[in-house]
């Protein structure tokens, strides 16, 4: 069973650019959640996708958008990057049964200069 | 409102017990979790407790929940150097829904 994977591991962008981060869910999982973790802080919920539909959104502006594909992998897109977008972006997948535990990937470290 | 608070640092000696505390503000939270984060790794779920429980024990881990005071604690017995990490408490209203995390407690275990 493959765990949650994310790519790339690290990324450096400049202010105003756009970025796409990718996440492959754990095998069989149909729900993906994205979190932003600033340095020294806890993760903040961005949004969740269930069967390709957005299923809840945190307090993030519209320039943060996402997609979930039929194979349940997911992308996080951020437009018009700002310096404050520098953070670790975590993806978590889950299956809507039982505890519905969210399994986290190792994250993508985004630096905006 | 949604707010989860934790103390930032804890230092213990190997073999001692560690107690990490957390307070939350939203009484409608149904599930409370403890996650562990090691450098370069994602978050690992350690244990969880439903809001209708007072205590849960899982091997070296004991979770205590005081719902009246909205206080959650994680006790790690016989703490080892491998337990050094950042520990996050988190709450959610429903299974699989958004998790609201505290800012994390960095546990340092000295030999």
């Amino acid at each position: 069973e493959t765990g949650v994977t994310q790519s790339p591991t690290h990324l450096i962008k400049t202010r105003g650019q756009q970025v796409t981060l990718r996440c492959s869910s754990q095998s069989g999982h149909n729900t993906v959640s994205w979190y932003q973790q600033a340095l020294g802080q806890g993760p903040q919920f961005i949004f969740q996708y269930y069967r390709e539909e957005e299923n809840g959104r945190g307090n993030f502006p519209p320039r943060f958008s996402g997609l979930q594909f039929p194979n349940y992998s997911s992308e996080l897109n951020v437009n018009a990057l700002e310096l404050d977008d520098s953070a670790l972006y975590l993806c978590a997948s889950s299956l809507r049964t039982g505890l519905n535990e969210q399994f986290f990937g190792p994250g993508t470290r985004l630096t905006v200069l | 409102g949604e707010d989860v608070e934790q103390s930032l640092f804890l230092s213990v000696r190997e073999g001692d017990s560690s107690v990490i505390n957390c307070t939350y503000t939203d009484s409608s939270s149904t599930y409370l979790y403890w996650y562990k984060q090691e450098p370069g790794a994602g978050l690992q779920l350690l244990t969880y407790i439903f809001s209708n429980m007072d205590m849960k024990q899982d091997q070296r881990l004991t979770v205590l929940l005081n719902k009246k005071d909205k206080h959650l604690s994680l006790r790690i017995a016989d703490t080892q150097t491998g337990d050094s990490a950042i520990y996050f408490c988190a709450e959610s209203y429903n299974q699989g829904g958004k998790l609201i995390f505290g800012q994390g407690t960095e546990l340092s275990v000295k030999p």
Side-chain angles (χ1 to χ4, degrees):
Chain A
E1 187 178 86
T2 309
V4 179
T5 59
Q6 294 185 243
S7 63
T9 308
H10 297 89
L11 201 52
I12 299 174
K13 291 285 189 179
T14 55
R15 203 167 42 177
Q17 285 188 310
Q18 178 265 341
V19 70
T20 298
L21 310 181
R22 294 178 175 83
C23 171
S24 290
S25 302
Q26 186 160 316
S27 177
H29 286 184
N30 56 18
T31 304
V32 173
S33 303
W34 285 91
Y35 293 83
Q36 180 196 66
Q37 186 178 15
L39 200 60
Q41 302 295 315
Q44 300 270 320
F45 176 76
I46 303 174
F47 43 55
Q48 183 181 86
Y49 279 82
Y50 170 62
R51 293 192 172 181
E52 303 177 59
E53 297 286 328
E54 188 178 288
N55 182 50
R57 187 177 182 93
N59 190 25
F60 281 81
R63 59 190 185 83
F64 285 78
S65 63
L67 279 174
Q68 188 181 30
F69 300 100
N71 67 354
Y72 302 130
S73 66
S74 176
E75 284 182 356
L76 164 65
N77 297 290
V78 187
N79 292 323
L81 283 166
E82 301 177 0
L83 298 179
D84 283 350
D85 295 334
S86 295
L88 180 68
Y89 288 83
L90 295 164
C91 158
S93 74
S94 57
L95 179 63
R96 288 196 167 193
T97 59
L99 174 66
N100 204 354
E101 178 184 347
Q102 295 186 36
F103 291 83
F104 284 81
T108 293
R109 173 73 62 188
L110 172 64
T111 302
V112 182
L113 303 175
Chain B
E2 305 170 345
D3 197 16
V4 179
E5 292 194 359
Q6 302 177 234
S7 51
L8 296 181
F9 299 101
L10 177 65
S11 180
V12 300
R13 290 272 178 206
E14 193 173 22
D16 288 349
S17 291
S18 308
V19 179
I20 303 171
N21 295 300
C22 169
T23 57
Y24 60 98
T25 56
D26 198 329
S27 57
S28 61
S29 291
T30 309
Y31 301 89
L32 295 140
Y33 307 85
W34 284 102
Y35 282 85
K36 177 182 181 182
Q37 188 175 41
E38 295 177 276
L43 293 161
Q44 175 196 355
L45 178 64
L46 289 177
T47 187
Y48 63 93
I49 190 167
F50 299 125
S51 60
N52 62 358
M53 298 168 65
D54 299 324
M55 185 183 97
K56 182 179 180 183
Q57 187 148 4
D58 186 358
Q59 299 183 342
R60 292 192 297 125
L61 306 178
T62 303
V63 179
L64 294 178
L65 175 59
N66 181 328
K67 200 173 179 183
K68 174 175 165 288
D69 294 338
K70 299 190 186 73
H71 183 266
L72 182 73
S73 68
L74 173 70
R75 178 178 178 269
I76 305 172
D78 187 25
T79 314
Q80 302 297 307
T81 54
D83 294 323
S84 293
I86 300 176
Y87 290 80
F88 292 93
C89 75
E91 59 177 350
S92 72
Y93 310 116
N94 54 3
Q95 286 176 307
K98 77 172 184 178
L99 293 166
I100 301 160
F101 286 88
Q103 67 267 55
T105 298
E106 184 176 347
L107 174 64
S108 173
V109 183
K110 301 194 185 310

